[in-house]
Every structure is written in C-alpha cells, then in structure tokens.
Amino acid sequence: QVQLVQSGGGLVQAGGSLRLSCAASGRPFSSYNMGYFRQAPGKEREFVAAVTWSTSNTYYADSVKGRFTISRDNAKNTVYLQMNSLKPEDTARYSCAARSKYTGSWFDPFEYDYWGQGTQVTVSS
C-alpha cells in the first residue's frame, strides 16, 4: 500500500505560478512511477504529467508542455508539479497518482494504482 497526501494549489491569476506537492508513505516510494491528472467540472479526468521512478523519463500532455514541470525527490518521498504561466483553462482539481508498472499507457488513469486526495487549482482571468 502507498498513501499519497497532496498539498499546494489554490487561487492564482492568469500568468502566475503554483507548485503542487505529493508526499508518499508506505511502500518504497522510489520504486513507483508517479503522475498527475486533473479534472474540471463537467469534463473527464485528463493526464497532465508523469515521471518514472528513475527520473530519467518525463511525460507531459501537449496542453502543459513548456509550462509545467514534474519532478521527484526520492529522499523526501515527494513528487512536485511546478506550474508556470497558468491559464484559466488550467482550472481543475489536480490529483497525484502512483503506479508500479513501467509498461502501459502513461495517459490512462486506470494504469495507476494509488491516488492522492486531490487539490483545487483555480486560475482567474
């Protein structure tokens, strides 16, 4: 079992920045690949970013490339999502997730085993 506790988020003006954190406990964090998803009201959950356990590979949705950066600190059992140049369309509830599998789609939420509680990000225009 892995428990994920999220922090960060909040209200920010367009063009601003926020950093989300996701702290893990339980089984060794360093063996899990980590991702972030988001869901806006009335929309399906969508992939945002992922980072592999070795930190050698990162994946991003086209909509956030160049603006968001996912990173992890295995010593602190924490994954971060740095969000810059935020837009109103980034408004959503953001959830971190963990998966033990290295194969399979990074974009499919059903490939992830554990989920954080979610945190709201609201970007005003």
Side-chain angles (χ1 to χ4, degrees), residues 35-110:
Y36 271 96
F37 288 77
R38 66 186 182 186
Q39 187 168 21
K43 294 187 177 181
E44 292 188 356
R45 183 166 49 185
E46 66 172 348
F47 170 80
V48 176
V51 58
T52 62
W53 69 269
S54 66
T55 74
S56 61
N57 293 308
T58 55
Y59 304 88
Y60 295 95
D62 288 342
S63 58
V64 307
K65 277 181 184 176
R67 300 188 298 122
F68 291 12
T69 301
I70 190 169
S71 62
R72 64 190 295 162
D73 185 337
N74 287 342
K76 296 183 177 180
N77 290 348
T78 301
V79 63
Y80 304 99
L81 185 68
Q82 178 66 43
M83 305 183 293
N84 299 328
S85 302
L86 282 162
K87 304 175 181 179
E89 51 263 44
D90 294 319
T91 295
R93 189 167 184 82
Y94 286 69
S95 297
C96 65
R99 56 186 279 174
S100 56
K101 289 172 53 178
Y102 192 86
T103 57
S105 171
W106 296 102
F107 309 99
D108 185 353
F110 293 101

